[in-house]
Amino acid sequence: MIPAGTISPVETPYPTDLLAVSPRGGAYTLWGADLGADVAVAPDWKLGGTYSWVSADTIPNVQVLGVVYLNAPRDRASLRVEYTNAGLGITAGVRGRYVRSFPVKNGEYDGYVDAYALVDLAMGMTLPWWHSATVTVMAQNALDERHIEFVGAPELGRLVLLRLRVGW
């Protein structure tokens, strides 16, 4: 036997419960879809995109709770163009991302996340003297569009990453 124990606040009316969750109450329906596609438009060029949709970002009039906030956007999308030249060992790409504004209510975090659109860049190269190694430089939010991705989180700007990948 493994010894186990629980600690319950003296204020709880159910001191022996192992799991206490807040009531969600009522019935509601949400609809959503996630789509993604990649298309080779030429031997070295590829287009791709994604789209996510959900029918609501809040659920009004839920029994006991009132309004339930999903803390996520109703729409988000991305579109990208990629170039790969295997003979030269180089890759490059640009991606645009969009996130629709959405309300947040989670504990003490209460407010709106403004919509934002970002551009990401990436470029990689196989090292000519070591073909199992690649160097990649990525700039997420390359245009340095200051934005907040969740209420209470810090403002984000450009992020530049350098990656060395080695295969054996």
PDB file of all heavy atoms in Angstrom, residues 31-58:
ATOM      1  N   TRP A  31     -19.260  25.133 -32.542  1.00  0.00           N
ATOM      2  CA  TRP A  31     -18.832  24.577 -33.819  1.00  0.00           C
ATOM      3  C   TRP A  31     -17.452  25.103 -34.133  1.00  0.00           C
ATOM      4  O   TRP A  31     -17.107  26.221 -33.745  1.00  0.00           O
ATOM      5  CB  TRP A  31     -19.795  24.994 -34.931  1.00  0.00           C
ATOM      6  CG  TRP A  31     -21.146  24.394 -34.783  1.00  0.00           C
ATOM      7  CD1 TRP A  31     -22.210  24.928 -34.131  1.00  0.00           C
ATOM      8  CD2 TRP A  31     -21.568  23.136 -35.270  1.00  0.00           C
ATOM      9  NE1 TRP A  31     -23.284  24.080 -34.182  1.00  0.00           N
ATOM     10  CE2 TRP A  31     -22.911  22.958 -34.896  1.00  0.00           C
ATOM     11  CE3 TRP A  31     -20.957  22.123 -35.992  1.00  0.00           C
ATOM     12  CZ2 TRP A  31     -23.633  21.828 -35.213  1.00  0.00           C
ATOM     13  CZ3 TRP A  31     -21.690  20.993 -36.324  1.00  0.00           C
ATOM     14  CH2 TRP A  31     -23.017  20.859 -35.923  1.00  0.00           C
ATOM     15  N   GLY A  32     -16.674  24.335 -34.845  1.00  0.00           N
ATOM     16  CA  GLY A  32     -15.348  24.800 -35.213  1.00  0.00           C
ATOM     17  C   GLY A  32     -14.781  24.016 -36.373  1.00  0.00           C
ATOM     18  O   GLY A  32     -15.305  22.969 -36.758  1.00  0.00           O
ATOM     19  N   ALA A  33     -13.719  24.561 -36.930  1.00  0.00           N
ATOM     20  CA  ALA A  33     -13.034  23.885 -38.039  1.00  0.00           C
ATOM     21  C   ALA A  33     -11.576  24.316 -38.063  1.00  0.00           C
ATOM     22  O   ALA A  33     -11.255  25.459 -37.736  1.00  0.00           O
ATOM     23  CB  ALA A  33     -13.699  24.246 -39.360  1.00  0.00           C
ATOM     24  N   ASP A  34     -10.721  23.400 -38.425  1.00  0.00           N
ATOM     25  CA  ASP A  34      -9.306  23.659 -38.642  1.00  0.00           C
ATOM     26  C   ASP A  34      -8.958  23.178 -40.040  1.00  0.00           C
ATOM     27  O   ASP A  34      -9.228  22.024 -40.388  1.00  0.00           O
ATOM     28  CB  ASP A  34      -8.427  22.915 -37.629  1.00  0.00           C
ATOM     29  CG  ASP A  34      -8.539  23.474 -36.228  1.00  0.00           C
ATOM     30  OD1 ASP A  34      -8.521  24.711 -36.098  1.00  0.00           O
ATOM     31  OD2 ASP A  34      -8.637  22.678 -35.284  1.00  0.00           O
ATOM     32  N   LEU A  35      -8.387  24.057 -40.831  1.00  0.00           N
ATOM     33  CA  LEU A  35      -8.008  23.718 -42.195  1.00  0.00           C
ATOM     34  C   LEU A  35      -6.530  24.010 -42.402  1.00  0.00           C
ATOM     35  O   LEU A  35      -6.001  24.973 -41.850  1.00  0.00           O
ATOM     36  CB  LEU A  35      -8.818  24.554 -43.194  1.00  0.00           C
ATOM     37  CG  LEU A  35     -10.340  24.490 -43.075  1.00  0.00           C
ATOM     38  CD1 LEU A  35     -10.982  25.533 -43.967  1.00  0.00           C
ATOM     39  CD2 LEU A  35     -10.829  23.096 -43.434  1.00  0.00           C
ATOM     40  N   GLY A  36      -5.897  23.206 -43.217  1.00  0.00           N
ATOM     41  CA  GLY A  36      -4.501  23.434 -43.566  1.00  0.00           C
ATOM     42  C   GLY A  36      -4.231  22.871 -44.941  1.00  0.00           C
ATOM     43  O   GLY A  36      -4.802  21.849 -45.328  1.00  0.00           O
ATOM     44  N   ALA A  37      -3.372  23.539 -45.687  1.00  0.00           N
ATOM     45  CA  ALA A  37      -3.049  23.060 -47.028  1.00  0.00           C
ATOM     46  C   ALA A  37      -1.641  23.490 -47.406  1.00  0.00           C
ATOM     47  O   ALA A  37      -1.181  24.564 -47.019  1.00  0.00           O
ATOM     48  CB  ALA A  37      -4.045  23.621 -48.046  1.00  0.00           C
ATOM     49  N   ASP A  38      -0.958  22.634 -48.165  1.00  0.00           N
ATOM     50  CA  ASP A  38       0.333  22.928 -48.763  1.00  0.00           C
ATOM     51  C   ASP A  38       0.217  22.603 -50.243  1.00  0.00           C
ATOM     52  O   ASP A  38      -0.287  21.529 -50.608  1.00  0.00           O
ATOM     53  CB  ASP A  38       1.448  22.078 -48.147  1.00  0.00           C
ATOM     54  CG  ASP A  38       1.816  22.530 -46.745  1.00  0.00           C
ATOM     55  OD1 ASP A  38       1.868  23.746 -46.518  1.00  0.00           O
ATOM     56  OD2 ASP A  38       2.056  21.660 -45.896  1.00  0.00           O
ATOM     57  N   VAL A  39       0.719  23.499 -51.084  1.00  0.00           N
ATOM     58  CA  VAL A  39       0.647  23.307 -52.526  1.00  0.00           C
ATOM     59  C   VAL A  39       2.018  23.596 -53.124  1.00  0.00           C
ATOM     60  O   VAL A  39       2.582  24.667 -52.891  1.00  0.00           O
ATOM     61  CB  VAL A  39      -0.412  24.248 -53.161  1.00  0.00           C
ATOM     62  CG1 VAL A  39      -0.437  24.078 -54.671  1.00  0.00           C
ATOM     63  CG2 VAL A  39      -1.778  23.994 -52.566  1.00  0.00           C
ATOM     64  N   ALA A  40       2.533  22.640 -53.897  1.00  0.00           N
ATOM     65  CA  ALA A  40       3.792  22.865 -54.624  1.00  0.00           C
ATOM     66  C   ALA A  40       3.436  23.609 -55.908  1.00  0.00           C
ATOM     67  O   ALA A  40       2.752  23.071 -56.772  1.00  0.00           O
ATOM     68  CB  ALA A  40       4.468  21.538 -54.926  1.00  0.00           C
ATOM     69  N   VAL A  41       3.877  24.862 -56.027  1.00  0.00           N
ATOM     70  CA  VAL A  41       3.538  25.670 -57.206  1.00  0.00           C
ATOM     71  C   VAL A  41       4.634  25.624 -58.264  1.00  0.00           C
ATOM     72  O   VAL A  41       4.414  26.031 -59.398  1.00  0.00           O
ATOM     73  CB  VAL A  41       3.230  27.133 -56.817  1.00  0.00           C
ATOM     74  CG1 VAL A  41       1.955  27.195 -55.986  1.00  0.00           C
ATOM     75  CG2 VAL A  41       4.387  27.762 -56.068  1.00  0.00           C
ATOM     76  N   ALA A  42       5.803  25.145 -57.914  1.00  0.00           N
ATOM     77  CA  ALA A  42       6.934  24.963 -58.821  1.00  0.00           C
ATOM     78  C   ALA A  42       7.872  23.968 -58.135  1.00  0.00           C
ATOM     79  O   ALA A  42       7.701  23.691 -56.941  1.00  0.00           O
ATOM     80  CB  ALA A  42       7.635  26.299 -59.098  1.00  0.00           C
ATOM     81  N   PRO A  43       8.865  23.443 -58.849  1.00  0.00           N
ATOM     82  CA  PRO A  43       9.737  22.446 -58.212  1.00  0.00           C
ATOM     83  C   PRO A  43      10.379  22.917 -56.899  1.00  0.00           C
ATOM     84  O   PRO A  43      10.530  22.125 -55.984  1.00  0.00           O
ATOM     85  CB  PRO A  43      10.803  22.181 -59.278  1.00  0.00           C
ATOM     86  CG  PRO A  43      10.121  22.480 -60.563  1.00  0.00           C
ATOM     87  CD  PRO A  43       9.176  23.619 -60.269  1.00  0.00           C
ATOM     88  N   ASP A  44      10.726  24.177 -56.805  1.00  0.00           N
ATOM     89  CA  ASP A  44      11.409  24.672 -55.601  1.00  0.00           C
ATOM     90  C   ASP A  44      10.522  25.534 -54.707  1.00  0.00           C
ATOM     91  O   ASP A  44      10.980  25.987 -53.655  1.00  0.00           O
ATOM     92  CB  ASP A  44      12.650  25.486 -55.993  1.00  0.00           C
ATOM     93  CG  ASP A  44      13.713  24.638 -56.675  1.00  0.00           C
ATOM     94  OD1 ASP A  44      13.687  23.409 -56.500  1.00  0.00           O
ATOM     95  OD2 ASP A  44      14.556  25.213 -57.376  1.00  0.00           O
ATOM     96  N   TRP A  45       9.279  25.791 -55.098  1.00  0.00           N
ATOM     97  CA  TRP A  45       8.412  26.727 -54.377  1.00  0.00           C
ATOM     98  C   TRP A  45       7.176  26.019 -53.832  1.00  0.00           C
ATOM     99  O   TRP A  45       6.583  25.183 -54.503  1.00  0.00           O
ATOM    100  CB  TRP A  45       7.961  27.862 -55.293  1.00  0.00           C
ATOM    101  CG  TRP A  45       9.071  28.771 -55.677  1.00  0.00           C
ATOM    102  CD1 TRP A  45       9.896  28.653 -56.756  1.00  0.00           C
ATOM    103  CD2 TRP A  45       9.493  29.939 -54.987  1.00  0.00           C
ATOM    104  NE1 TRP A  45      10.797  29.674 -56.782  1.00  0.00           N
ATOM    105  CE2 TRP A  45      10.572  30.491 -55.695  1.00  0.00           C
ATOM    106  CE3 TRP A  45       9.056  30.580 -53.824  1.00  0.00           C
ATOM    107  CZ2 TRP A  45      11.223  31.637 -55.293  1.00  0.00           C
ATOM    108  CZ3 TRP A  45       9.704  31.725 -53.419  1.00  0.00           C
ATOM    109  CH2 TRP A  45      10.775  32.252 -54.148  1.00  0.00           C
ATOM    110  N   LYS A  46       6.809  26.395 -52.609  1.00  0.00           N
ATOM    111  CA  LYS A  46       5.617  25.836 -51.971  1.00  0.00           C
ATOM    112  C   LYS A  46       4.831  26.951 -51.291  1.00  0.00           C
ATOM    113  O   LYS A  46       5.416  27.833 -50.661  1.00  0.00           O
ATOM    114  CB  LYS A  46       6.030  24.778 -50.954  1.00  0.00           C
ATOM    115  CG  LYS A  46       4.876  24.072 -50.289  1.00  0.00           C
ATOM    116  CD  LYS A  46       5.248  22.832 -49.501  1.00  0.00           C
ATOM    117  CE  LYS A  46       6.399  22.984 -48.577  1.00  0.00           C
ATOM    118  NZ  LYS A  46       6.587  21.837 -47.671  1.00  0.00           N
ATOM    119  N   LEU A  47       3.521  26.904 -51.416  1.00  0.00           N
ATOM    120  CA  LEU A  47       2.604  27.799 -50.702  1.00  0.00           C
ATOM    121  C   LEU A  47       1.868  26.983 -49.657  1.00  0.00           C
ATOM    122  O   LEU A  47       1.538  25.821 -49.897  1.00  0.00           O
ATOM    123  CB  LEU A  47       1.578  28.424 -51.642  1.00  0.00           C
ATOM    124  CG  LEU A  47       2.054  29.425 -52.678  1.00  0.00           C
ATOM    125  CD1 LEU A  47       0.885  29.835 -53.568  1.00  0.00           C
ATOM    126  CD2 LEU A  47       2.648  30.641 -51.998  1.00  0.00           C
ATOM    127  N   GLY A  48       1.586  27.577 -48.534  1.00  0.00           N
ATOM    128  CA  GLY A  48       0.842  26.871 -47.503  1.00  0.00           C
ATOM    129  C   GLY A  48       0.013  27.832 -46.682  1.00  0.00           C
ATOM    130  O   GLY A  48       0.265  29.043 -46.667  1.00  0.00           O
ATOM    131  N   GLY A  49      -0.979  27.301 -46.031  1.00  0.00           N
ATOM    132  CA  GLY A  49      -1.806  28.136 -45.187  1.00  0.00           C
ATOM    133  C   GLY A  49      -2.603  27.323 -44.193  1.00  0.00           C
ATOM    134  O   GLY A  49      -2.769  26.112 -44.352  1.00  0.00           O
ATOM    135  N   THR A  50      -3.061  27.997 -43.151  1.00  0.00           N
ATOM    136  CA  THR A  50      -3.911  27.380 -42.142  1.00  0.00           C
ATOM    137  C   THR A  50      -5.022  28.355 -41.770  1.00  0.00           C
ATOM    138  O   THR A  50      -4.879  29.574 -41.925  1.00  0.00           O
ATOM    139  CB  THR A  50      -3.122  27.039 -40.854  1.00  0.00           C
ATOM    140  OG1 THR A  50      -2.618  28.254 -40.281  1.00  0.00           O
ATOM    141  CG2 THR A  50      -1.980  26.084 -41.137  1.00  0.00           C
ATOM    142  N   TYR A  51      -6.127  27.810 -41.300  1.00  0.00           N
ATOM    143  CA  TYR A  51      -7.221  28.641 -40.788  1.00  0.00           C
ATOM    144  C   TYR A  51      -7.942  27.857 -39.705  1.00  0.00           C
ATOM    145  O   TYR A  51      -8.241  26.665 -39.882  1.00  0.00           O
ATOM    146  CB  TYR A  51      -8.200  29.014 -41.905  1.00  0.00           C
ATOM    147  CG  TYR A  51      -9.370  29.823 -41.408  1.00  0.00           C
ATOM    148  CD1 TYR A  51      -9.204  31.137 -40.990  1.00  0.00           C
ATOM    149  CD2 TYR A  51     -10.634  29.263 -41.328  1.00  0.00           C
ATOM    150  CE1 TYR A  51     -10.270  31.886 -40.514  1.00  0.00           C
ATOM    151  CE2 TYR A  51     -11.706  30.009 -40.860  1.00  0.00           C
ATOM    152  CZ  TYR A  51     -11.523  31.307 -40.456  1.00  0.00           C
ATOM    153  OH  TYR A  51     -12.577  32.044 -39.978  1.00  0.00           O
ATOM    154  N   SER A  52      -8.191  28.509 -38.581  1.00  0.00           N
ATOM    155  CA  SER A  52      -8.947  27.904 -37.484  1.00  0.00           C
ATOM    156  C   SER A  52     -10.111  28.810 -37.132  1.00  0.00           C
ATOM    157  O   SER A  52      -9.942  30.029 -37.033  1.00  0.00           O
ATOM    158  CB  SER A  52      -8.068  27.714 -36.243  1.00  0.00           C
ATOM    159  OG  SER A  52      -7.057  26.779 -36.493  1.00  0.00           O
ATOM    160  N   TRP A  53     -11.268  28.216 -36.932  1.00  0.00           N
ATOM    161  CA  TRP A  53     -12.477  28.975 -36.614  1.00  0.00           C
ATOM    162  C   TRP A  53     -13.267  28.234 -35.547  1.00  0.00           C
ATOM    163  O   TRP A  53     -13.343  27.004 -35.556  1.00  0.00           O
ATOM    164  CB  TRP A  53     -13.337  29.129 -37.870  1.00  0.00           C
ATOM    165  CG  TRP A  53     -14.713  29.634 -37.599  1.00  0.00           C
ATOM    166  CD1 TRP A  53     -15.101  30.914 -37.379  1.00  0.00           C
ATOM    167  CD2 TRP A  53     -15.914  28.850 -37.522  1.00  0.00           C
ATOM    168  NE1 TRP A  53     -16.457  30.981 -37.169  1.00  0.00           N
ATOM    169  CE2 TRP A  53     -16.977  29.718 -37.251  1.00  0.00           C
ATOM    170  CE3 TRP A  53     -16.181  27.489 -37.649  1.00  0.00           C
ATOM    171  CZ2 TRP A  53     -18.287  29.277 -37.113  1.00  0.00           C
ATOM    172  CZ3 TRP A  53     -17.487  27.049 -37.511  1.00  0.00           C
ATOM    173  CH2 TRP A  53     -18.518  27.951 -37.239  1.00  0.00           C
ATOM    174  N   VAL A  54     -13.832  28.995 -34.620  1.00  0.00           N
ATOM    175  CA  VAL A  54     -14.775  28.456 -33.643  1.00  0.00           C
ATOM    176  C   VAL A  54     -15.955  29.418 -33.612  1.00  0.00           C
ATOM    177  O   VAL A  54     -15.808  30.622 -33.830  1.00  0.00           O
ATOM    178  CB  VAL A  54     -14.131  28.250 -32.253  1.00  0.00           C
ATOM    179  CG1 VAL A  54     -13.751  29.567 -31.611  1.00  0.00           C
ATOM    180  CG2 VAL A  54     -15.030  27.449 -31.339  1.00  0.00           C
ATOM    181  N   SER A  55     -17.140  28.899 -33.381  1.00  0.00           N
ATOM    182  CA  SER A  55     -18.363  29.688 -33.526  1.00  0.00           C
ATOM    183  C   SER A  55     -18.540  30.786 -32.477  1.00  0.00           C
ATOM    184  O   SER A  55     -19.311  31.713 -32.691  1.00  0.00           O
ATOM    185  CB  SER A  55     -19.587  28.769 -33.514  1.00  0.00           C
ATOM    186  OG  SER A  55     -19.644  28.026 -32.312  1.00  0.00           O
ATOM    187  N   ALA A  56     -17.841  30.701 -31.363  1.00  0.00           N
ATOM    188  CA  ALA A  56     -17.999  31.723 -30.318  1.00  0.00           C
ATOM    189  C   ALA A  56     -16.745  31.812 -29.466  1.00  0.00           C
ATOM    190  O   ALA A  56     -16.008  30.840 -29.343  1.00  0.00           O
ATOM    191  CB  ALA A  56     -19.201  31.391 -29.431  1.00  0.00           C
ATOM    192  N   ASP A  57     -16.502  32.986 -28.892  1.00  0.00           N
ATOM    193  CA  ASP A  57     -15.409  33.116 -27.931  1.00  0.00           C
ATOM    194  C   ASP A  57     -15.938  33.251 -26.506  1.00  0.00           C
ATOM    195  O   ASP A  57     -15.177  33.248 -25.552  1.00  0.00           O
ATOM    196  CB  ASP A  57     -14.457  34.257 -28.285  1.00  0.00           C
ATOM    197  CG  ASP A  57     -15.162  35.576 -28.484  1.00  0.00           C
ATOM    198  OD1 ASP A  57     -16.303  35.737 -28.014  1.00  0.00           O
ATOM    199  OD2 ASP A  57     -14.563  36.466 -29.119  1.00  0.00           O
ATOM    200  N   THR A  58     -17.260  33.374 -26.373  1.00  0.00           N
ATOM    201  CA  THR A  58     -17.915  33.361 -25.062  1.00  0.00           C
ATOM    202  C   THR A  58     -19.221  32.583 -25.187  1.00  0.00           C
ATOM    203  O   THR A  58     -19.792  32.463 -26.273  1.00  0.00           O
ATOM    204  CB  THR A  58     -18.251  34.776 -24.558  1.00  0.00           C
ATOM    205  OG1 THR A  58     -19.087  35.422 -25.519  1.00  0.00           O
ATOM    206  CG2 THR A  58     -17.006  35.599 -24.307  1.00  0.00           C
TER     207      THR A  58
END
